[in-house]
Amino acid sequence: RVLALGRYQAGPRCGLMLSRLGADVIKIEPPSVGDVARRAGPFVGDDPHPEKSVPFLYNNTNKRGVTLDFGSATGRGILNSLLQSADVLVESFSPAEAEALSLGYPDLERVNPALVATSITPFGQTGPYRDLASTDIVTCALSGLMYHSGDSDREPLHNALDQSLYVAGANAAAATLVALFQRLTT
């Protein structure tokens, strides 16, 4: 069982890949606003409705969904109950946000010591950039993904879609599988 708190592209992509491998993935969204990807186009029939976002529908197919305010005491109790029976948590909060929501690994380990926690951030858990937000073009440039696009005598070009976010989601899914294998063998 995978609890998917990831937002927009990378986290949901990780959950999608795990669901395609047979995981029971539960997508958890905040009440009233939902995942920001619900507001990203293109939309089915050019109707900008939260249930018709093609990127949201694509990355969240094959998942169960629940709305949960885990900032409230009741919501946090429900989340902790779900965490106790989960194998994996996928989240894409900044380290400061995760800590404020009690989703840092020390807090998660107290709830479920066997939990594999997959955290997807632009700049990692430590260092001076750890809590900075980013966009796809920035992570494409900083990761080197942009290096191979465009002509060598011109400025780099941004790839179509959000390539660095999809790559991050794929890498997160692979890392999650490695962590699950490690848990099984140790």
Side-chain angles (χ1 to χ4, degrees):
R1 174 172 286 168
V2 176
L3 300 183
L5 296 175
R7 304 171 288 185
Y8 192 55
Q9 299 294 351
R13 179 64 172 188
C14 175
L16 174 67
M17 295 180 80
L18 295 173
S19 77
R20 287 181 174 170
L21 294 171
D24 174 22
V25 179
I26 301 171
K27 167 88 172 162
I28 300 174
E29 295 181 76
S32 71
V33 295
D35 188 331
V36 296
R38 289 183 176 277
R39 293 179 289 287
F43 295 93
V44 174
D46 289 328
D47 179 11
H49 187 278
E51 297 295 328
K52 295 183 177 183
S53 164
V54 173
F56 178 84
L57 293 171
Y58 174 71
N59 281 316
N60 291 291
T61 190
N62 204 32
K63 299 177 187 176
R64 295 189 288 159
V66 64
T67 300
L68 184 62
D69 178 7
F70 51 88
S72 72
T74 302
R76 187 59 201 207
I78 293 168
L79 179 62
N80 283 343
S81 177
L82 289 168
L83 285 167
Q84 289 171 355
S85 65
D87 296 293
V88 174
L89 170 72
V90 176
E91 56 88 3
S92 58
F93 297 106
S94 74
E97 286 176 299
E99 290 167 9
L101 294 168
S102 299
L103 294 173
Y105 192 74
D107 295 311
L108 295 170
E109 187 178 33
R110 281 191 285 280
V111 176
N112 181 349
L115 184 72
V116 170
T118 303
S119 178
I120 306 169
T121 69
F123 304 111
Q125 296 294 313
T126 60
Y129 299 147
R130 73 177 223 144
D131 290 313
L132 295 181
S134 187
T135 61
D136 177 63
I137 195 167
V138 171
T139 52
C140 276
L142 290 173
S143 70
L145 187 59
M146 196 177 283
Y147 177 77
H148 64 79
S149 61
D151 296 322
S152 61
D153 61 338
R154 305 234 12 230
E155 66 278 354
L157 298 173
H158 182 249
N159 292 316
L161 304 172
D162 291 326
Q163 291 299 306
S164 72
L165 304 179
Y166 283 99
V167 170
N171 287 334
T176 300
L177 294 175
V178 170
L180 284 168
F181 182 75
Q182 175 71 11
R183 187 182 79 177
L184 287 171
T185 59
T186 61

